[in-house]
Amino acid sequence: MLKQILDIFYALIGVLMLLAGIESLRDKASKTHIGTGIFWLILAAIFLIGNYLPNEIIGILIVIIGLLSLFKQVKVGNLAQIDTKIAETAAKKYRGWIFLPSIILALSSILIAQFTKLGGQIAIGIASVLALLSAVVLTKEKPKDTYHDSARMIQALGTAGILPQLLSMLGVMFTASGVGVLISKTISHVFPTGNHLLGVALYCIAMFIFTAIMGNAFAAFSVITAGIGIPFVIAQGANPVVVAAIGMTAGYCGTLITPMAANFNALPVALMDMTDELGVIKQQAPIAIILLIVQIGLMYFLAF
């Protein structure tokens, strides 16, 4: 039952990508409108009917969208711009209420995940639908506005939209291929086990760096925890729950400094038309370093 519900939300994501594909194909002013449209339509098909397609077909489709991106056939086209006067009028009208959908999204996802058996992924899906409905009720916008804004948001994200899926898959592949074991053997030849502070520092810094490389703390977690966290920290008597929780947070610090974390660092640049592509990262880097040091201290004092 839970899988069927989750499939529905994946299908909804596919619908959003389908909208982006349709609007991209209609953007005749863009020289790459065909390649961009095909890119989004293929992604839409994977999300909509991926469960019913053979793995070989999915692999071929992924190779195709990779080639489209490689040959620069996927670009953000001519997006419909928001009327600044309408935006300013709406801001004055709704004031702080404009944050209501975001609050509903956060609270409802936490409550559903905490007090039901649906799980975090389904909770976020339900919360997203509730947030969208609250936004429509609050603003009284027409359905066509939701259509155009959804397509515009997906198009603005560009090829970065597929990074989370690819990076998660990469983490699974690294774990299955024994990268974690290789890291453990390499580190053990350089640093001795038994030093709690050194083990914690190695684990947190490795989570930070590997997350920055992969752009995803979830992908880094399985590899670094198997290679460093377990032999150098948990095996030395640390509480696994504390180590896992703080280790993930250390990884999130790495997310703040990498362009690979598209949803955090590339998406704001695209949506806000920033001239400096690394502007978000430059602002976050000092905070990321400070937080990493804090995580090392917390794990050392709380895990043992």
Side-chain angles (χ1 to χ4, degrees), residues 17-51:
M17 294 179 174
L18 180 63
L19 300 181
I22 293 172
E23 290 302 313
S24 296
L25 290 174
R26 293 173 60 183
D27 183 14
K28 300 297 178 63
S30 173
K31 295 181 180 179
T32 59
H33 70 281
I34 294 179
T36 304
I38 293 174
F39 175 88
W40 288 116
L41 291 178
I42 289 177
L43 272 183
I46 293 175
F47 274 84
L48 284 167
I49 59 173
N51 286 338

Side-chain angles (χ1 to χ4, degrees), residues 170-194:
L170 187 62
V172 174
M173 291 176 58
F174 278 3
T175 303
S177 60
V179 174
V181 177
L182 178 62
I183 292 175
S184 177
K185 291 181 179 179
T186 303
I187 295 293
S188 63
H189 289 307
V190 180
F191 299 100
T193 59

Side-chain angles (χ1 to χ4, degrees), residues 16 20 40 76 79-80 146-158 161 267 270-271:
L16 292 177
W40 288 116
V76 178
L79 302 179
T146 303
Y147 168 88
H148 288 297
D149 284 342
S150 298
R152 179 174 60 83
M153 181 185 67
I154 296 296
Q155 287 175 280
L157 181 59
L267 180 58
L271 294 181

Side-chain angles (χ1 to χ4, degrees), residues 1-194:
M1 180 62 180
L2 295 181
K3 183 180 182 302
Q4 285 77 6
I5 298 175
L6 192 59
D7 286 343
I8 292 174
F9 288 117
Y10 278 120
L12 290 176
I13 296 173
V15 169
L16 292 177
M17 294 179 174
L18 180 63
L19 300 181
I22 293 172
E23 290 302 313
S24 296
L25 290 174
R26 293 173 60 183
D27 183 14
K28 300 297 178 63
S30 173
K31 295 181 180 179
T32 59
H33 70 281
I34 294 179
T36 304
I38 293 174
F39 175 88
W40 288 116
L41 291 178
I42 289 177
L43 272 183
I46 293 175
F47 274 84
L48 284 167
I49 59 173
N51 286 338
Y52 306 100
L53 296 176
N55 293 337
E56 294 79 6
I57 299 299
I58 297 293
I60 292 172
L61 292 176
I62 292 175
V63 170
I64 292 174
I65 62 177
L67 291 173
L68 288 171
S69 179
L70 176 65
F71 290 104
K72 302 186 183 303
Q73 294 303 303
V74 184
K75 295 183 179 180
V76 178
N78 301 295
L79 302 179
Q81 300 299 315
I82 299 175
D83 190 314
T84 54
K85 292 184 178 179
I86 295 177
E88 290 175 0
T89 301
K92 293 178 181 178
K93 177 181 178 181
Y94 299 113
R95 296 180 180 274
W97 286 102
I98 199 65
F99 296 105
L100 179 63
S102 298
I103 295 174
I104 290 176
L105 172 63
L107 288 179
S108 56
S109 60
I110 292 173
L111 292 174
I112 293 171
Q114 184 71 27
F115 297 106
T116 71
K117 298 181 179 180
L118 295 177
Q121 291 178 308
I122 295 177
I124 293 175
I126 295 174
S128 299
V129 173
L130 293 176
L132 175 61
L133 293 175
S134 66
V136 172
V137 172
L138 176 66
T139 60
K140 298 181 176 59
E141 294 292 341
K142 299 177 181 178
K144 68 176 184 179
D145 295 321
T146 303
Y147 168 88
H148 288 297
D149 284 342
S150 298
R152 179 174 60 83
M153 181 185 67
I154 296 296
Q155 287 175 280
L157 181 59
T159 54
I162 195 175
L163 269 179
Q165 292 80 32
L166 292 179
L167 293 172
S168 297
M169 179 183 67
L170 187 62
V172 174
M173 291 176 58
F174 278 3
T175 303
S177 60
V179 174
V181 177
L182 178 62
I183 292 175
S184 177
K185 291 181 179 179
T186 303
I187 295 293
S188 63
H189 289 307
V190 180
F191 299 100
T193 59

